[in-house]
């Protein structure tokens, strides 16, 4: 695979490079007075790598790896943009930039991404749902801009949970199966926080839609990881006022 997608990776990082006065010195290599940044494709490993090195008195030190992202021949420029978003986040941390956490400008907020070959977290789960329901992307940005961070319980309570409840409660068997399959996969691949959020969201939908849990069980059969977990969670949702307020309002 050649490096034909490099420009799409770098494009997502360009504003940060410009802000910190990095200049391109060769393809995929940028430097300012203090640091060198490299974006390289490792053919043997089939990954993009983000590397940095300190510059002292004009001398470039050893490379350190900031991030790595799997990228094989099956992927496209859209996937390359996802690599760039991941690298941009790593670069912000390296350079001490906290704009996406403190800015009040929604246009400067990055959308969440689901990192490949990494355990699913809440931001990755959110990214998958925003791909299904892109109408909430701007709402996500506005929420992060308002709060200075991603308060996922608030965002789900106000946007995604009602949407999911409506789809699961009024959708076709095919629509329900598609959504529950996504939840199953994210639950299996997810960390504890993500798993709890998934169970909570499905539980809210089941409480608000009589017969939904039985329908999910019928559609998923023995393949559903969620049905017994939701069944156990529902009594707590009914009796715990603070939990209900956090999830439903």
């Amino acid at each position: 695979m050649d490096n034909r997608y490099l420009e799409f990776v770098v494009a997502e990082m360009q504003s940060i490079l410009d802000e910190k006065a990095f200049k391109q010195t060769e393809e995929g290599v940028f430097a300012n007075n203090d640091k060198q940044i490299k974006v390289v494709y490792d053919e043997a490993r089939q990954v993009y790598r983000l590397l940095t090195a300190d510059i002292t008195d004009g001398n470039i030190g050893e490379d350190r790896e900031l991030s790595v992202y799997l990228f094989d021949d099956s992927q496209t420029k859209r996937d390359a943009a996802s690599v760039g978003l991941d690298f941009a986040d790593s670069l912000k941390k390296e350079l001490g930039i906290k704009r996406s956490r403190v800015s009040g400008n929604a246009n400067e907020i990055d959308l969440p991404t689901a990192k490949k070959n990494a355990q699913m977290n809440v931001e990755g789960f959110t990214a998958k749902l925003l791909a299904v329901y892109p109408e909430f992307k701007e709402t996500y940005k506005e929420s992060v801009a308002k709060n200075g961070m991603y308060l996922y319980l608030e965002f789900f309570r106000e946007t995604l949970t009602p949407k999911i409840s409506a789809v699961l409660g009024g959708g076709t068997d095919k629509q329900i199966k598609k959504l529950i399959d996504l939840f199953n996969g994210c639950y299996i691949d997810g960390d504890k926080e993500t798993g709890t959020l998934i169970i909570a969201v499905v539980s809210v939908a089941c409480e608000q839609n009589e017969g939904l849990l039985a329908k999910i069980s019928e559609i998923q059969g023995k393949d559903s990881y969620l049905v017994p977990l939701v069944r156990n969670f529902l009594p707590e949702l009914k009796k715990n006022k603070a939990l209900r307020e956090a999830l439903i309002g």
Side-chain angles (χ1 to χ4, degrees):
M1 175 180 169
D2 62 28
N3 214 13
R4 62 190 181 275
Y5 293 122
L6 177 64
E7 64 178 291
F8 300 104
V9 177
V10 172
E12 300 297 335
M13 306 165 57
Q14 194 63 57
S15 63
I16 302 170
L17 296 171
D18 292 343
E19 180 178 333
K20 293 298 182 179
F22 282 91
K23 303 296 182 183
Q24 184 168 343
T25 58
E26 57 183 284
E27 186 179 47
V29 182
F30 306 84
N32 62 13
N33 291 332
D34 303 312
K35 286 185 182 293
Q36 177 178 269
I37 300 295
K38 290 183 184 177
V39 180
V40 298
Y41 185 74
D42 187 325
E43 185 75 35
R45 295 167 61 192
Q46 291 196 310
V47 296
Y48 271 106
R49 301 175 68 203
L50 176 65
L51 307 171
T52 186
D54 293 327
I55 299 177
T56 306
D57 297 329
N59 298 312
I60 302 173
E62 293 186 6
D63 286 331
R64 291 184 292 111
E65 189 173 81
L66 294 180
S67 188
V68 61
Y69 204 108
L70 180 66
F71 197 93
D72 59 32
D73 289 332
S74 68
Q75 293 175 288
T76 67
K77 65 181 181 181
R78 182 175 180 178
D79 299 305
S82 296
V83 178
L85 289 170
D86 177 82
F87 284 5
D89 185 57
S90 297
L91 191 56
K92 287 176 186 177
K93 293 175 183 176
E94 173 68 14
L95 300 176
I97 298 173
K98 300 181 179 180
R99 181 178 60 194
S100 66
R101 293 296 184 189
V102 300
S103 173
N105 186 350
N107 292 327
E108 294 184 354
I109 301 299
D110 297 326
L111 289 170
T113 58
K115 296 182 180 181
K116 295 186 177 181
N117 295 334
Q119 188 175 38
M120 178 69 64
N121 59 18
V122 168
E123 289 198 354
F125 177 52
T126 304
K128 286 187 174 293
L129 287 174
L130 290 179
V132 178
Y133 306 117
E135 64 266 30
F136 294 126
K137 287 183 178 180
E138 290 306 312
T139 309
Y140 169 88
K141 291 183 177 183
E142 291 167 2
S143 175
V144 175
K146 179 187 72 173
N147 294 310
M149 64 180 66
Y150 179 34
L151 302 180
Y152 69 86
L153 284 177
E154 175 184 302
F155 180 68
F156 269 76
R157 181 176 66 244
E158 295 178 356
T159 58
L160 289 172
T161 299
K163 179 68 174 183
I164 290 165
S165 182
V167 172
L168 291 178
T172 64
D173 286 0
K174 184 177 180 179
Q175 290 172 324
I176 295 172
K177 185 178 187 306
K178 181 179 179 179
L179 201 51
I180 294 299
D181 283 347
L182 185 152
F183 290 162
N184 272 334
C186 290
Y187 181 85
I188 293 168
D189 296 336
D191 58 21
K192 184 177 180 180
E193 188 175 29
T194 305
T196 301
L197 176 60
I198 291 169
I199 294 166
V201 170
V202 177
S203 296
V204 169
C206 288
E207 187 193 54
Q208 294 177 345
N209 296 279
E210 185 177 355
L212 176 58
L213 186 60
K215 191 174 189 65
I216 293 173
S217 181
E218 179 185 343
I219 292 172
Q220 289 283 289
K222 62 181 181 180
D223 295 327
S224 178
Y225 287 81
L226 299 181
V227 169
L229 295 168
V230 170
R231 185 175 288 117
N232 290 335
F233 188 86
L234 277 169
E236 184 67 17
L237 178 63
K238 292 180 184 297
K239 69 181 182 181
N240 190 320
K241 183 178 179 181
L243 180 63
R244 289 185 63 82
E245 288 180 352
L247 295 174
I248 303 172

